[in-house]
Amino acid sequence: AQSVAQPEDQVNVAEGNPLTVKCTYSVSGNPYLFWYVQYPNRGLQFLLKYITGDNLVKGSYGFEAEFNKSQTSFHLKKPSALVSDSALYFCAVIPGYSSASKIIFGSGTRLSIRP
Amino acid sequence: DTAVSQTPKYLVTQMGNDKSIKCEQNLGHDTMYWYKQDSKKFLKIMFSYNNKELIINETVPNRFSPKSPDKAHLNLHINSLELGDSAVYFCASSPSSSTANTEAFFGQGTRLTVV
């Protein structure tokens, strides 16, 4: 079965430190990979995506993610965390040769940045 | 201007009732979606509607029926509401479901509580 895993329910980081939110996937073909962020009582907001090309993609709010095909991972990173980064983060994957309706979301990781 | 708007934001209703949630997008997108987010924040696609084509997720009970009067609107009607239907329902849109490399834009969500 095709799946997306976010192994950490919660990640706690001190402000100013680097952060990583992990995502691994198991899907067929060459996938399209996305990260979304959800603030309290809000809908999901797009952060960044990997479609093809450079494995390191940069997105909104200083976030970046690296596509690693051999490890089937797409970890989200930021060099210096801000308290305002505290939110729920979702990794999402569309399997290769699929339509957008076949998107699979991870279970979400709650990121908490302490001052 | 809100790109994807859904109403109501909160909905509390009794078991057995029928209710509708409305969604409108002003992005000119061809495809709209309904997602369900459960109490554990797990997010799952329910339906996608690309112009005249409805793609149904086979795990969704037939008590749920999407209705699209035009490509800017996708409403969700739920018959005979059950306690397990309590969740946050998100509407979203994207340029086209056949273009899997584009991100989706989400509404703010409708928190449905069935009592």
Side-chain angles (χ1 to χ4, degrees), chain A residues 8-70:
Chain A
E8 301 155 316
D9 289 338
Q10 178 139 355
V11 171
N12 300 309
V13 177
E15 188 175 27
N17 283 358
L19 68 88
T20 299
V21 182
K22 296 180 180 177
C23 173
T24 59
Y25 62 90
S26 175
V27 300
S28 57
N30 294 317
Y32 298 137
L33 299 151
F34 302 81
W35 276 101
Y36 287 86
V37 58
Q38 184 179 21
Y39 298 101
N41 299 314
R42 301 295 297 274
L44 277 69
Q45 295 179 31
F46 169 75
L47 273 182
L48 51 78
K49 64 183 177 184
Y50 172 82
I51 303 301
T52 187
D54 194 347
N55 289 344
L56 183 66
V57 293
K58 295 184 183 296
S60 307
Y61 312 119
F63 284 93
E64 59 187 29
E66 186 167 11
F67 170 60
N68 188 317
K69 188 172 183 177
S70 62

Side-chain angles (χ1 to χ4, degrees), chain B residues 4-110:
Chain B
V4 182
S5 60
Q6 51 184 110
T7 55
K9 190 172 182 179
Y10 300 97
L11 182 56
V12 180
T13 187
Q14 291 186 326
M15 284 176 55
N17 284 352
D18 303 338
K19 290 293 180 184
S20 293
I21 307 171
K22 295 184 177 181
C23 180
E24 175 182 5
Q25 55 96 3
N26 63 7
L27 298 166
H29 289 166
D30 286 342
T31 303
M32 296 183 72
Y33 310 86
W34 278 108
Y35 287 84
K36 179 180 180 180
Q37 187 175 46
D38 63 23
S39 59
K40 296 183 178 179
K41 304 299 183 183
F42 185 72
L43 194 68
K44 191 167 185 179
I45 190 169
M46 300 175 68
F47 302 104
S48 68
Y49 206 108
N50 189 72
N51 283 326
K52 296 182 180 179
E53 181 184 3
L54 173 64
I55 301 171
I56 298 175
N57 185 315
E58 62 274 9
T59 65
V60 178
N62 58 14
R63 297 182 294 104
F64 291 79
S65 56
K67 298 187 191 304
S68 180
D70 54 63
K71 76 172 190 177
H73 296 84
L74 182 63
N75 304 324
L76 182 64
H77 189 75
I78 315 170
N79 290 326
S80 303
L81 278 155
E82 301 177 356
L83 292 177
D85 297 333
S86 296
V88 180
Y89 292 84
F90 287 102
C91 176
S93 73
S94 67
S96 171
S97 65
S98 61
T99 308
N101 60 359
T102 54
E103 61 272 20
F105 293 76
F106 284 76
Q108 289 197 331
T110 296

Side-chain angles (χ1 to χ4, degrees), chain A residues 75-98:
Chain A
H75 301 330
L76 181 69
K77 300 182 179 184
K78 188 172 181 179
S80 178
L82 299 173
V83 172
S84 58
D85 293 330
S86 298
L88 187 58
Y89 289 80
F90 288 95
C91 180
V93 179
I94 298 175
Y97 311 114
S98 296

